[in-house]
Amino acid sequence: MSETDASEDSQISHERVLSSEAPQSPGPSQSRNLLHPEERPDSEEDFRHNESLSTSADPSSAVFRSNQQVTLQVGERRFTTTKETLACGSHYFARMLSGRWPYEVQEDGSYFIDADGVIFEHLLRYLRHGVLPVYYDSVKGHDFGLYVALLEQARFFGVDALEKWLNNKTYLKVVKMEHHAWLVDSINSVGQTVGGDVELEYHTSWITKRVYVCPRGIPVHRGNPDACGRACKNAQGDADDEYVKEHELKIVAIQKKTVFMQEMCFGE
């Protein structure tokens, strides 16, 4: 073989090596396949275990202490945050930013992640502030659809505390409702000032009742046969007690108070 042929073969071999080592543009679902063959786990449990070992928060690590800005392109949404915010709360981002993954940076310097940007906004808010979320509306109740979508991302990005909060449905313990009901004495008693966490409703109903009529027509005896004395009985004679039908308005007040246990949202 001539020196020219040997040089060409060496160049071709070198190009094949470079081609085989060239990084691809992975989405989150491809991340584990980017690991070195010796590091690649055989199962999902091994993958999570290896993540735990490799992303333990080392205070001396620049990844966990760096305030360097990072731009993420999540689906069609863009987010700007810091390495510290991402790496300290997420196994996924701790590995991605550690340099162990050959994760390709886009031309504008951002990282592309194939995920729902609308849901990711809630996950990033938790990573920034550490406040566990409650999505509750006094009319619609809890937004269970949002809880499920966020749980999926929390599992994928390895945000353990958030995943536990959502998986155990601990948010249901944060909001409680207290109900009270009572009869209102009169229409003049309707209307009072309540706090923003209280809903007050009034329900009305008309009832028909029998009312005793004094034989002598004394107003204070009306409705009370025991109030009539001997004179009333003499005036009544042998006749039966007289009653008339009257309509009466009944008012029931129902109070609903929302109790929000906000201290639970800050974790242990």
Side-chain angles (χ1 to χ4, degrees):
M1 178 182 297
S2 65
E3 293 183 0
T4 301
D5 294 336
S7 176
E8 291 178 353
D9 291 342
S10 176
Q11 181 177 358
I12 293 174
S13 175
H14 180 64
E15 290 176 351
R16 288 177 177 174
V17 171
L18 292 178
S19 176
S20 63
E21 293 181 351
Q24 303 298 317
S25 300
S29 60
Q30 299 171 307
S31 58
R32 73 184 64 186
N33 294 325
L34 294 174
L35 300 177
H36 189 278
E38 295 180 357
E39 297 179 338
R40 189 173 299 147
D42 296 328
S43 66
E44 177 70 18
E45 293 183 0
D46 293 338
F47 177 72
R48 296 298 293 271
H49 177 67
N50 291 342
E51 279 189 326
S52 177
L53 293 178
S54 63
T55 59
S56 57
D58 179 3
S60 64
S61 172
V63 172
F64 292 94
R65 293 184 293 104
S66 175
N67 286 321
Q68 180 181 353
Q69 286 191 354
V70 176
T71 300
L72 304 176
Q73 177 75 41
V74 184
E76 298 178 352
R77 300 279 300 274
R78 290 179 70 85
F79 301 90
T80 300
T81 182
T82 66
K83 286 186 176 181
E84 182 179 18
T85 295
L86 295 173
C88 286
S90 164
H91 297 307
Y92 178 94
F93 287 114
R95 291 181 68 91
M96 185 186 82
L97 298 173
S98 68
R100 297 186 61 184
W101 285 359
Y103 211 103
E104 184 177 3
V105 180
Q106 299 190 105
E107 293 183 359
D108 61 0
S110 65
Y111 293 90
F112 175 75
I113 298 176
D114 188 13
D116 189 333
V118 175
I119 304 301
F120 185 80
E121 179 180 355
H122 298 280
L123 185 135
L124 180 58
R125 182 180 295 116
Y126 168 74
L127 292 177
R128 283 171 170 164
H129 306 292
V131 179
L132 295 161
V134 176
Y135 306 112
Y136 180 83
D137 181 89
S138 60
V139 177
K140 300 179 181 179
H142 284 281
D143 190 342
F144 292 103
L146 180 54
Y147 287 134
V148 172
L150 186 56
L151 173 58
E152 180 183 8
Q153 284 204 8
R155 284 173 174 167
F156 179 82
F157 290 108
V159 184
D160 295 339
L162 181 59
E163 177 184 351
K164 181 180 179 181
W165 171 266
L166 297 169
N167 190 56
N168 294 342
K169 299 181 180 180
T170 311
Y171 49 81
L172 294 177
K173 300 178 182 179
V174 177
V175 181
K176 296 182 179 181
M177 300 297 298
E178 294 181 353
H179 295 80
H180 301 280
W182 64 91
L183 284 173
V184 178
D185 296 333
S186 68
I187 191 65
N188 295 327
S189 302
V190 174
Q192 57 179 298
T193 302
V194 297
D197 58 345
V198 175
E199 294 182 24
L200 186 58
E201 300 177 353
Y202 293 97
H203 299 266
T204 61
S205 176
W206 288 95
I207 63 171
T208 302
K209 65 177 184 178
R210 297 172 69 241
V211 179
Y212 173 77
V213 178
C214 174
R216 299 168 61 194
I218 300 177
V220 295
H221 293 177
R222 185 180 179 85
N224 184 11
D226 296 334
C228 290
R230 181 179 300 178
C232 296
K233 296 298 182 182
N234 291 336
Q236 181 177 351
D238 295 332
D240 294 332
D241 291 343
E242 181 182 359
Y243 289 88
V244 295
K245 292 182 177 179
E246 290 186 355
H247 298 291
E248 182 179 7
L249 177 64
K250 291 292 184 179
I251 304 174
V252 178
I254 299 179
Q255 177 179 289
K256 303 177 184 178
K257 183 177 181 180
T258 303
V259 180
F260 186 71
M261 312 290 288
Q262 62 183 18
E263 62 274 7
M264 296 184 63
C265 297
F266 296 97
E268 299 179 357

